[in-house]
Amino acid sequence: MTDPRIEFVFGEVSDQLRSELKAFWSQYGKPHQEELKSFRATLSNNQKRMGLLKKPISRQPAAISRDQSGAINGVVFVVLRELETSRDLGSHAYFQRMYVIPESRNPRLANQLFRAFLQGFDREVEKRDHRAKVLLAENINPGLQKASMRRYFARLGFQMLGGNQLGGEIWARKLKTHFSF
């Protein structure tokens, strides 16, 4: 097994990468949505619900993984959203989600892709919207709602906030911010 080629691409999407991502989502967008629906169907409806999010402001890729042939096989993307102010998380947040194609899924790749995303996202303070004080992660996959995965997220600096209306766990990680004129 060779190491995946992982690239942090937040704020640096070339026309070539944009084209590759469009092709990736053209092929995997529907399976991704179907997978999310199946996760939601298997989750209990008795979880505490949190109404955090308003309409998305922007959506963009933040990190990608490539297989041996150079094709994209995993994407971490972020969505900037305005928040309901009742949660004491600030007025805005970045919402993160990751998708790895089924034939490339393994814990090592997921860990490397997620950590590369976090390191790059932490480093690129000036590229992020200064109004976003937190990074939110929704763990809708039941495999991520195990004690070992909860410890993993806690070690990475996330704090669990509760569940949402989709049946996922919402985790928050504070972001350093920088405002300049």
Side-chain angles (χ1 to χ4, degrees), residues 28-38 40 59 97:
Y28 294 106
K30 187 175 179 182
H32 172 64
Q33 291 304 316
E34 289 171 359
E35 189 172 80
L36 290 176
K37 286 178 188 176
S38 74
R40 290 177 190 132
R59 181 179 192 263
R97 185 166 278 153

Side-chain angles (χ1 to χ4, degrees), residues 7 13 18 26 43 46 53 55 66-67 101 125 131 139 142:
E7 305 167 43
V13 178
R18 188 172 286 106
S26 171
L43 294 171
N46 297 324
L53 308 172
K55 182 181 170 198
R66 295 180 182 274
D67 64 17
I101 64 172
V125 175
R131 298 171 295 178
N139 293 351

Side-chain angles (χ1 to χ4, degrees), residues 94-166:
Y94 279 102
F95 173 85
Q96 168 274 322
R97 185 166 278 153
M98 179 168 63
Y99 180 74
V100 176
I101 64 172
E103 54 270 18
S104 294
R105 289 183 188 164
N106 66 68
R108 183 174 178 226
L109 173 60
N111 178 52
Q112 289 176 337
L113 180 57
F114 194 58
R115 285 180 181 267
F117 156 67
L118 289 176
Q119 289 168 0
F121 206 63
D122 285 346
R123 207 175 36 247
E124 296 295 345
V125 175
E126 303 225 355
K127 290 182 183 176
R128 297 191 320 248
D129 190 300
H130 70 277
R131 298 171 295 178
K133 309 279 191 257
V134 293
L135 172 66
L136 298 175
E138 176 192 35
N139 293 351
I140 195 167
N141 180 336
L144 297 177
Q145 297 179 10
K146 296 177 180 176
S148 62
M149 292 307 298
R150 289 177 176 148
R151 288 189 300 272
Y152 173 79
F153 270 84
R155 280 193 307 272
L156 293 175
F158 285 87
Q159 179 181 11
M160 186 164 45
L161 300 178
N164 68 4
Q165 65 273 16
L166 302 176

Side-chain angles (χ1 to χ4, degrees), residues 10-11 27 30 49 64 69 92 94:
F10 181 76
Q27 183 175 357
K30 187 175 179 182
R49 304 292 185 227
I64 61 168
S69 72
H92 293 75
Y94 279 102

Side-chain angles (χ1 to χ4, degrees), residues 1-17:
M1 177 197 289
T2 62
D3 284 336
R5 292 182 18 224
I6 296 174
E7 305 167 43
F8 182 76
V9 298
F10 181 76
E12 301 290 329
V13 178
S14 66
D15 289 340
Q16 171 65 34
L17 180 55

